[in-house]
Amino acid sequence: MKRLFLGLVLVIALQACSKKITTDTVANTKWTLSEWTGQTLPTKEKATLNFGADNQIGGKSFCNTFGGRSTINGNTIKIEEVFGTMMFCESVAEAERNYTEGLKTVNSFKVVDGKLQLLKDGKVMMVFTKGE
């Protein structure tokens, strides 16, 4: 019984310490893709995700730059209207396509230990570290 009580107190304490997620959590931030579930990250090119004002997003998809919109409500996120430049970079073409398509499939996010995690149905799909 004592362990159960201590466990309950710990859960309540952790929830009290958790940061409420809002649009402001990621507004005007820049992130670099560091982990990608089920995919291999290209070694020479980087992918980024930048959140700007008015729900605008942008970044680099390894070779090309892209933009779009995000809708954030609590910990849910929807990325849509993604568009980009169209240079052909053979070495990262597949990764680039998978990255932009992957962004459009995520439906939630969280920030854990300073890293942005994008999730699809509760499964972590992409992890980003804070950029400059």
Side-chain angles (χ1 to χ4, degrees):
M1 185 67 156
K2 193 176 193 179
R3 284 186 182 180
L4 179 61
F5 177 74
L6 288 174
L8 183 59
V9 168
L10 179 62
V11 167
I12 291 170
L14 288 174
Q15 284 182 326
C17 294
S18 67
K19 185 177 179 182
K20 181 163 174 58
I21 296 176
T22 65
T23 303
D24 293 337
T25 303
V26 294
N28 299 311
T29 60
K30 297 180 179 185
W31 305 88
T32 301
L33 184 63
S34 58
E35 299 172 41
W36 194 6
T37 302
Q39 301 287 328
T40 302
L41 283 171
T43 55
K44 293 182 180 181
E45 303 291 335
K46 301 288 182 203
T48 62
L49 177 60
N50 307 326
F51 291 87
D54 300 326
N55 299 318
Q56 297 297 317
I57 62 160
K60 188 165 183 180
S61 53
F62 301 108
C63 175
N64 288 287
T65 57
F66 72 92
R69 297 187 52 78
S70 67
T71 303
I72 296 173
N73 185 9
N75 70 336
T76 64
I77 187 169
K78 183 174 184 178
I79 296 175
E80 54 194 352
E81 300 176 23
V82 177
F83 62 91
T85 58
M86 300 178 71
M87 293 185 299
F88 181 70
C89 303
E90 187 174 356
S91 63
V92 294
E94 183 177 351
E96 188 165 63
R97 183 177 53 256
N98 291 341
Y99 177 66
T100 55
E101 288 301 314
L103 287 174
K104 293 187 273 185
T105 67
V106 298
N107 51 26
S108 65
F109 77 103
K110 56 186 172 179
V111 178
V112 178
D113 296 328
K115 293 184 177 184
L116 173 68
Q117 297 180 352
L118 296 181
L119 301 92
K120 179 181 178 185
D121 302 329
K123 180 181 177 187
V124 175
M125 302 304 292
M126 298 177 191
V127 178
F128 296 80
T129 56
K130 195 81 172 211
E132 298 177 14

